[in-house]
Amino acid sequence: MADTSVATAPLLHFLDQGDPTARPLVILHGLFGTLDNWQTLARRWADEAGLRVISVDLRNHGRSFHSPAHSYALMAQDVLALFDHLALDPTRLTLMGHSMGGKVSMQLALTHPARLAQLIVVDIAPRFSNMEHQDDIVAGLQAVDLTTIQNRQQAEAALAQHIPQLGVRQFLLKNLYRREDNSFAWRINLPVLTANLALVGEKIGAAQPFHKPTLFIRGGKSDYITADDKLHGIPALFPNSQVATVPDAGHWVHAEKPDEIFGLVQNFVGQL
């Protein structure tokens, strides 16, 4: 039975690509991201792997609705409502999430295991994550004065005062857009995400583990999944799981090593 508690929330914005009768792959992005971050790979999985690929903007991100509430329980319910809207067959469905989206995916799998066939989690563990590493990003975003900037170059210059990495600035600037009156705005709900940053680091737990096939993908240069996570934290909640490491990749493993991610996901989904 569908959970009726999602009825008050608007439907998430999504992009549905590929053969509508093919096996569905649902993709959830990370913090400050959008479905666009996965668009190149999503097209490849639809065109080359023959999947139905549904990319999603989570609440307070992209073109989805803004809400003062931001938690993993609520985000999982939002995604379940989308499953209902699209009438996705749970026996054929793979759910995949990166970072914050990975924790949403784990939350949904653990609380509603009957709603999906298998799970892919990209470079995040279920344990608590200290969010202090996001302080510079938040400071950079808040340094952009949307009331005075005239172009994207000025926005990037403000970000650069706090964020030296060009790739991270380019990733964040995907959230910047012009309104109809030509002023700039963020697609992300920056005040709410900033206020709820500690919740984004929350541990994911459950009384019962998720017994279905699960693939964790980690970047070899990333510390988001540790040796202890592989030995203890992940198997405790996901006993039917494997951890694949992509060498020479950091946290944004899908952007740095797209061919490797394409193959890992294609092979895993192909086992259904």
Side-chain angles (χ1 to χ4, degrees):
M1 182 180 293
D3 192 315
T4 56
S5 65
V6 297
T8 55
L11 194 67
L12 295 171
H13 174 254
F14 65 96
L15 181 62
D16 192 347
Q17 302 176 88
D19 179 355
T21 67
R23 286 171 295 189
L25 170 67
V26 176
I27 305 175
L28 308 181
H29 62 79
L31 180 65
F32 303 131
T34 76
L35 64 80
D36 293 339
N37 303 144
W38 284 86
Q39 194 35 27
T40 301
L41 276 167
R43 277 196 297 265
R44 286 188 65 188
W45 284 316
D47 296 343
E48 299 174 36
L51 301 176
R52 178 185 181 183
V53 184
I54 299 145
S55 311
V56 181
D57 279 336
L58 294 166
R59 67 166 57 202
N60 293 318
H61 289 77
R63 290 172 173 79
S64 282
F65 63 92
H66 285 193
S67 167
H70 194 83
S71 71
Y72 285 116
L74 289 170
M75 287 188 279
Q77 291 290 350
D78 296 340
V79 176
L80 280 172
L82 183 61
F83 286 2
D84 290 338
H85 173 76
L86 296 171
L88 299 178
D89 179 357
T91 67
R92 305 175 76 214
L93 172 61
T94 302
L95 176 61
M96 178 170 71
H98 171 244
S99 202
M100 181 188 74
K103 283 194 165 180
V104 177
S105 300
M106 287 187 273
Q107 174 82 27
L108 192 154
L110 288 163
T111 53
H112 295 83
R115 298 301 302 271
L116 67 160
Q118 53 183 16
L119 176 68
I120 303 174
V121 179
V122 183
D123 212 60
I124 197 73
R127 62 174 160 80
F128 169 78
S129 306
N130 188 319
M131 299 303 290
E132 287 180 0
H133 61 281
Q134 299 288 345
D135 288 351
D136 288 343
I137 288 179
V138 170
L141 290 167
Q142 292 176 334
V144 179
D145 187 344
L146 297 171
T147 63
T148 61
I149 60 167
Q150 301 295 312
N151 51 53
R152 301 181 76 84
Q153 289 74 24
Q154 291 175 353
E156 183 174 354
L159 284 174
Q161 297 173 34
H162 300 273
I163 303 165
Q165 306 95 330
L166 175 61
V168 177
R169 296 199 301 272
Q170 291 174 334
F171 163 77
L172 294 170
L173 285 170
K174 288 180 180 291
N175 290 292
L176 192 67
Y177 75 105
R178 281 191 187 271
R179 293 172 165 150
E180 288 183 8
D181 65 2
N182 220 35
S183 65
F184 280 100
W186 294 117
R187 292 202 184 279
I188 48 172
N189 188 345
L190 185 57
V192 165
L193 293 177
T194 302
N196 289 281
L197 206 53
L199 291 176
V200 176
E202 253 185 3
K203 176 181 179 179
I204 301 297
Q208 297 294 325
F210 179 72
H211 290 285
K212 294 178 180 178
T214 303
L215 173 64
F216 282 80
I217 301 173
R218 64 178 290 271
K221 296 192 295 186
S222 171
D223 60 2
Y224 279 72
I225 295 178
T226 65
D228 187 65
D229 294 325
K230 290 168 67 176
L231 282 173
H232 305 293
I234 289 172
L237 288 172
F238 303 95
N240 188 11
S241 65
Q242 55 184 302
V243 179
T245 298
V246 179
D248 300 320
H251 184 55
W252 282 279
V253 57
H254 52 294
E256 296 175 40
K257 299 288 184 178
D259 290 340
E260 287 83 348
I261 297 300
F262 175 82
L264 283 167
V265 172
Q266 181 185 32
N267 292 338
F268 186 72
V269 176
Q271 296 168 18
L272 259 184

